[in-house]
Amino acid sequence: MSVNEEHESVSKNLEYGFDDWCIAQFAKSQGDMEKYREYLIRSQAYKHIFDKSCGFMCPRQNGAWKEKFDPKEIDFNFTEANSWQYSFYVPHDILTFIDLMGGNEAFEAKLDELFTTGSETFGKDLKDISGMIGQYAHGNEPSHHIAYMYNYCGKPDKTQKLARQIMSEMYNSTPSGNCGNEDCGQMSAWYVLSAMGFYPVNPANGVYDIGSPIFDTVQINLENGKKCLIVAHDNSPENIYVAKMEINGKPYTKSYILHSDIADGARIDFYMTSDENITFGSKPEDIYQSRIEEFKVVPAPYAKTGVRTFHDSLKIELACIDDSAKIYYSINNGEEKLYSEPLIFNETTTLTFHSERDGYEPSKPVEAKYIKIDRDRRIKLLSKYTPAYSAGGNDALVDHLRGGNDFRTGEWQGYQGQDFEAVVDLGEVKEIASVETGFIQDVKSWILFPKYVEYYTSTDGVNFKKIATVNHNVADNDYRQQIYNFRCEPQNCKARYVKVFAKYYGTLPEWHLGAGGETHLFLDEIKIVEK
């Protein structure tokens, strides 16, 4: 899904993809191979939003990577996080993801960068993003598995060091003893499991990835009446690395243990050391093979430019992060063709394209719409929009693109605690048939329709005359998410400039949960129809 279809699209692609993998495994266990194939294909959706050029999971818009992307930005494309914190969320197909990233060394370098880059973020102000080590946010659950992913590129010593660091720095025994929102006990669950020496990167496959135990001895009383005893020898704040392991007295070299290893009772012995130059669990045969081998999907192609409107003509180039893939396209639902050279459009066009590769399932189809518009219309904003809700920038309100039914898709321009005012320049004096401005209301999110909208016209840009005041009859306590178009049809109106003024609602009333807070105006597209 793209940002045009769904808010928080990147997070949903990734989390739903893991959910789909879980459904696929259940379907397979029930012998439903048709559903197994369907959901295993769906579970590889992460491939369609991985931008290999920057190494991040990125939002897609109109067939392209969203422009002005910054992995530190917190916006409507992610759920309470940014791209740094979601770009490693592939717990079910890790080794394939490492290959996409460029191999073990590139993956290790990206993990290193996550934990060492600056911790500053920008965009929406979210308290959930806390417990920072670089851009790793332990206070928010989407990050919780990441420290253990070093195990999958042959660097388990880095997992062990980070697990100890997180336990030491992000938890204490005071009433506020963890660094984030407890959310159904997950903050504590991470600590309890990690303190025993392991944690499930994929909580649905019965695999526990080895970290660094902090307790000398732990006994787990299993439901079947048996016990699992975990002993950490030579354990200390300095001895954070696993030198070797034994399970039931037998040498064990893998960087993971299976649920089946302990379900019937077991003894697990960790032998700890301060030497970080160890090789325990680092060989390829010691790494859990988290890889989808059946019904592999080729990544979806993308357009190299995110432009959505153009004036005279437009050149579109297509590409795919898989160099072995072939790209097929159709124009305005016409004949499908093999892509070989840039496409030139001279009129408004709908382009559909997908990728194929021998031995792989084809990618999902991607649709992009390119709209040809007049070049002589300009807008001057006299109010300042909220940066997180720019809708694409200063020209968003005259780009001929309309916002959908959800303000969080990023196609609506938002203004908080202020009236809205702007002037549209038509380029020359023209006869105006109608003026219309679309607003959205989402009372729960503090977004209310303006009290009224006023329209003014001018021939010189200095002297303006009011031509209409437009009201509405939607109740301020109507919690339905809805759009209202404030429209007027002036008679015998000739002008070059049209001014739009919208009176914002004011502060939230007493009956609202956010009483006293400053409301928002969200609008998109000032539509001026000429005779």
Side-chain angles (χ1 to χ4, degrees):
M1 65 186 75
S2 70
V3 300
N4 313 87
E5 301 169 303
E6 189 82 26
H7 75 283
E8 301 174 358
S9 62
V10 177
S11 300
K12 290 177 179 178
N13 266 303
L14 296 170
E15 295 204 28
Y16 293 172
F18 174 62
D19 295 343
D20 290 335
W21 181 87
C22 295
I23 294 170
Q25 306 314 305
F26 180 76
K28 185 178 183 180
S29 73
Q30 301 303 302
D32 190 340
M33 299 308 292
E34 182 178 345
K35 281 286 186 274
Y36 171 65
R37 176 182 179 275
E38 175 187 353
Y39 281 90
L40 201 64
I41 289 172
R42 287 169 53 127
S43 76
Q44 298 169 70
Y46 74 90
K47 295 178 180 178
H48 308 318
I49 57 171
F50 177 69
D51 185 352
K52 193 173 184 178
S53 67
C54 64
F56 288 98
M57 299 293 178
C58 295
R60 295 187 63 149
Q61 187 171 44
N62 205 46
W65 303 116
K66 187 175 181 296
E67 295 181 336
K68 300 179 181 179
F69 166 76
D70 189 314
K72 293 184 178 182
E73 183 176 8
I74 304 163
D75 61 18
F76 45 80
N77 299 302
F78 299 89
T79 304
E80 299 178 356
N82 60 23
S83 186
W84 267 118
Q85 289 134 31
Y86 259 106
S87 285
F88 297 91
Y89 197 87
V90 190
H92 55 293
D93 195 17
I94 301 172
L95 298 187
T96 303
F97 178 47
I98 290 175
D99 291 342
L100 285 178
M101 188 76 79
N104 283 346
E105 290 186 6
F107 187 73
E108 178 190 357
K110 199 70 176 181
L111 284 172
D112 289 347
E113 188 181 0
L114 167 71
F115 289 102
T116 58
T117 194
S119 296
E120 68 279 359
T121 62
F122 66 96
K124 293 195 292 185
D125 181 20
L126 288 178
K127 304 304 180 185
D128 299 76
I129 300 178
S130 58
M132 304 292 283
I133 303 176
Q135 281 292 312
Y136 172 84
H138 192 72
N140 207 20
E141 287 75 10
S143 294
H144 274 192
H145 66 292
I146 299 177
Y148 286 85
M149 295 189 86
Y150 279 110
N151 284 358
Y152 291 86
C153 62
K155 294 294 181 179
D157 56 309
K158 291 188 174 183
T159 283
Q160 294 156 27
K161 182 177 181 180
L162 274 167
R164 281 288 185 106
Q165 179 182 350
I166 294 167
M167 284 187 279
S168 173
E169 295 181 1
M170 304 301 169
Y171 294 87
N172 60 65
S173 58
T174 67
S176 57
N178 66 53
C179 64
N181 189 337
E182 182 62 286
D183 274 357
C184 300
Q186 169 56 25
M187 291 293 296
S188 297
W190 186 96
Y191 184 87
V192 170
L193 285 161
S194 294
M196 292 191 294
F198 45 78
Y199 181 81
V201 167
N202 178 341
N205 66 353
V207 175
Y208 300 102
D209 299 279
I210 290 170
S212 178
I214 63 170
F215 293 118
D216 295 340
T217 304
V218 174
Q219 180 173 290
I220 305 172
N221 298 319
L222 303 172
E223 291 184 356
N224 58 11
K226 297 183 179 181
K227 303 179 186 303
C228 177
L229 182 65
I230 303 170
V231 180
H233 302 271
D234 300 319
N235 199 20
S236 71
E238 295 74 35
N239 291 355
I240 63 175
Y241 300 103
V242 179
K244 63 178 182 177
M245 277 183 66
E246 294 175 354
I247 296 182
N248 296 328
K250 296 180 180 180
Y252 190 83
T253 62
K254 300 186 184 301
S255 63
Y256 62 93
I257 58 176
L258 301 177
H259 183 75
S260 57
D261 291 333
I262 62 177
D264 289 328
R267 176 181 172 119
I268 302 173
D269 288 277
F270 290 92
Y271 293 86
M272 309 303 293
T273 179
S274 61
D275 182 8
E276 64 181 289
N277 297 313
I278 56 175
T279 59
F280 169 81
S282 61
K283 296 179 181 179
E285 60 267 26
D286 293 328
I287 297 171
Y288 181 71
Q289 297 301 296
S290 172
R291 187 189 295 277
I292 293 175
E293 296 286 8
E294 299 178 284
F295 310 119
K296 294 183 289 186
V297 175
V298 64
Y302 58 92
K304 289 187 176 181
T305 176
V307 66
R308 302 171 70 186
T309 61
F310 65 99
H311 297 297
D312 300 314
S313 64
L314 176 67
K315 181 172 79 171
I316 294 295
E317 295 181 78
L318 304 179
C320 182
I321 66 170
D322 187 335
D323 296 332
S324 300
K326 294 180 179 179
I327 301 172
Y328 294 86
Y329 71 94
S330 66
I331 296 174
N332 296 329
N333 296 316
E335 179 186 358
E336 189 172 86
K337 299 178 181 180
L338 176 65
Y339 174 80
S340 60
E341 60 184 8
L343 306 172
I344 306 297
F345 302 137
N346 298 305
E347 300 295 338
T348 295
T349 302
T350 297
L351 176 67
T352 305
F353 50 98
H354 73 278
S355 53
E356 297 182 10
R357 177 182 173 183
D358 290 343
Y360 283 69
E361 299 287 334
S363 78
K364 60 178 290 187
V366 179
E367 183 178 277
K369 295 181 179 179
Y370 304 105
I371 302 172
K372 186 174 182 178
I373 61 175
D374 296 332
R375 64 165 59 252
D376 58 354
R377 190 165 294 188
R378 299 286 185 269
I379 186 170
K380 181 179 181 180
L381 298 175
L382 304 178
S383 306
K384 187 175 181 179
Y385 57 75
T386 304
Y389 297 103
S390 70
N394 294 338
D395 295 327
L397 302 182
V398 291
D399 62 3
H400 293 247
L401 302 172
R402 298 301 300 267
N405 293 324
D406 190 338
F407 79 93
R408 292 166 294 188
T409 59
E411 296 180 303
W412 292 87
Q413 197 164 82
Y415 297 79
Q416 185 177 24
Q418 59 180 308
D419 301 327
F420 169 80
E421 190 172 5
V423 176
V424 178
D425 181 357
L426 301 178
E428 60 181 280
V429 174
K430 298 180 179 181
E431 188 169 1
I432 296 171
S434 65
V435 185
E436 178 181 303
T437 309
F439 287 81
I440 192 169
Q441 178 161 290
D442 187 340
V443 178
K444 183 179 179 181
S445 301
W446 299 22
I447 302 170
L448 281 88
F449 287 140
K451 291 183 175 180
Y452 55 85
V453 175
E454 294 177 339
Y455 293 113
Y456 299 79
T457 59
S458 171
T459 57
D460 59 9
V462 177
N463 301 295
F464 284 86
K465 176 184 177 181
K466 185 195 293 188
I467 59 171
T469 298
V470 185
N471 298 291
H472 68 91
N473 57 2
V474 179
D476 58 2
N477 61 353
D478 186 339
Y479 274 79
R480 293 175 298 170
Q481 195 172 65
Q482 54 195 302
I483 295 171
Y484 191 92
N485 295 309
F486 291 75
R487 176 184 173 88
C488 74
E489 296 180 1
Q491 300 298 313
N492 302 315
C493 180
K494 293 183 178 181
R496 172 175 173 174
Y497 301 93
V498 176
K499 180 188 291 186
V500 181
F501 174 86
K503 184 65 179 177
Y504 93 110
Y505 180 89
T507 58
L508 289 165
E510 292 183 359
W511 50 261
H512 196 284
L513 288 174
E518 293 285 1
T519 60
H520 300 256
L521 287 175
F522 270 73
L523 66 156
D524 189 34
E525 207 56 27
I526 300 171
K527 184 179 179 181
I528 303 172
V529 178
E530 305 161 7
K531 286 187 177 180

